[in-house]
Amino acid sequence: MERIYIGMGSNLADPAEQLRSAIQALAQLPDSRFAGVSAFYQSDSLLPGQPRYTNAVAAIDSELEPLDLLDALQAIEIDQGRERHERWGPRTLDLDILLFGDRLIDTPRLKVPHYHMQARPFVLYPLAELAPATLTLADGRSLAQLLAECPFVGLERLPPIAESNQPAR
């Protein structure tokens, strides 16, 4: 089993509910165990004129291979109404593999550690809630260093909703 961190985001069709549904789906992945989820955060879109995003990071332990997990995550996105019309466009659900154990992955379909995560507070701060403080990415960068270089700007940590961020047991 490898520890995998998955970035989650939504800015359409009740974003918080989209994330809660995704958490339930992640808990049902084969050969995997749901390990936790960060608080939900809101941030502005990377493109002007879009609704704000709700983001979180989930952790799973899995025996799935990276591309098999990617396929499963894309199936969850489609099940929740994801349509791919434009890059960085509004979406019901976006699930990104941020870290996959200590693997460096560079294929046409998947790059891990996830590209640009170092510049995205809506990824780093939720990740820091789940990952050990001493986490070092497979490319040698430490999470502590990335956090120090990426201020908590434009990000709002949402108050917890009782038990809403945990899958049903």
Side-chain angles (χ1 to χ4, degrees):
M1 291 267 209
E2 292 182 87
R3 174 60 53 98
I4 301 157
Y5 295 99
I6 300 166
M8 307 186 323
S10 173
N11 71 341
L12 295 176
D14 192 353
E17 184 55 36
Q18 291 290 339
L19 295 188
R20 285 190 285 274
S21 294
I23 291 164
Q24 297 297 323
L26 291 173
Q28 303 303 314
L29 287 172
D31 303 316
S32 303
R33 183 180 59 80
F34 185 84
V37 65
S38 71
F40 289 0
Y41 289 78
Q42 279 195 333
S43 64
D44 290 332
S45 171
L46 295 174
L47 297 179
Q50 289 188 24
R52 296 191 83 202
Y53 272 86
T54 301
N55 298 289
V57 170
I60 64 170
D61 296 317
S62 184
E63 294 177 359
L64 293 172
E65 287 300 314
L67 292 179
D68 294 332
L69 177 59
L70 180 61
D71 289 341
L73 296 180
Q74 289 177 343
I76 293 169
E77 290 175 343
I78 290 168
D79 286 348
Q80 290 189 216
R82 170 80 186 257
E83 296 178 3
R84 296 177 188 271
H85 297 295
E86 63 179 296
R87 187 170 189 170
W88 296 312
R91 60 206 58 181
T92 54
L93 182 63
D94 188 28
L95 298 174
D96 292 322
I97 299 172
L98 304 174
L99 302 172
F100 200 110
D102 60 3
R103 297 191 199 197
L104 279 173
I105 303 168
D106 189 1
T107 71
R109 286 189 65 209
L110 182 61
K111 297 192 183 331
V112 174
H114 191 273
Y115 66 96
H116 297 299
M117 68 183 272
Q118 74 278 357
R120 296 179 172 161
F122 60 84
V123 170
L124 294 177
Y125 287 90
L127 174 62
E129 289 185 18
L130 297 175
T134 58
L135 178 73
T136 299
L137 284 61
D139 62 9
R141 299 176 294 170
S142 74
L143 179 57
Q145 173 190 356
L146 296 178
L147 287 165
E149 295 170 359
C150 186
F152 190 96
V153 173
L155 198 59
E156 177 187 354
R157 189 176 194 271
L158 299 177
I161 301 170
E163 302 296 317
S164 67
N165 295 357
Q166 299 300 323
R169 301 255 180 228

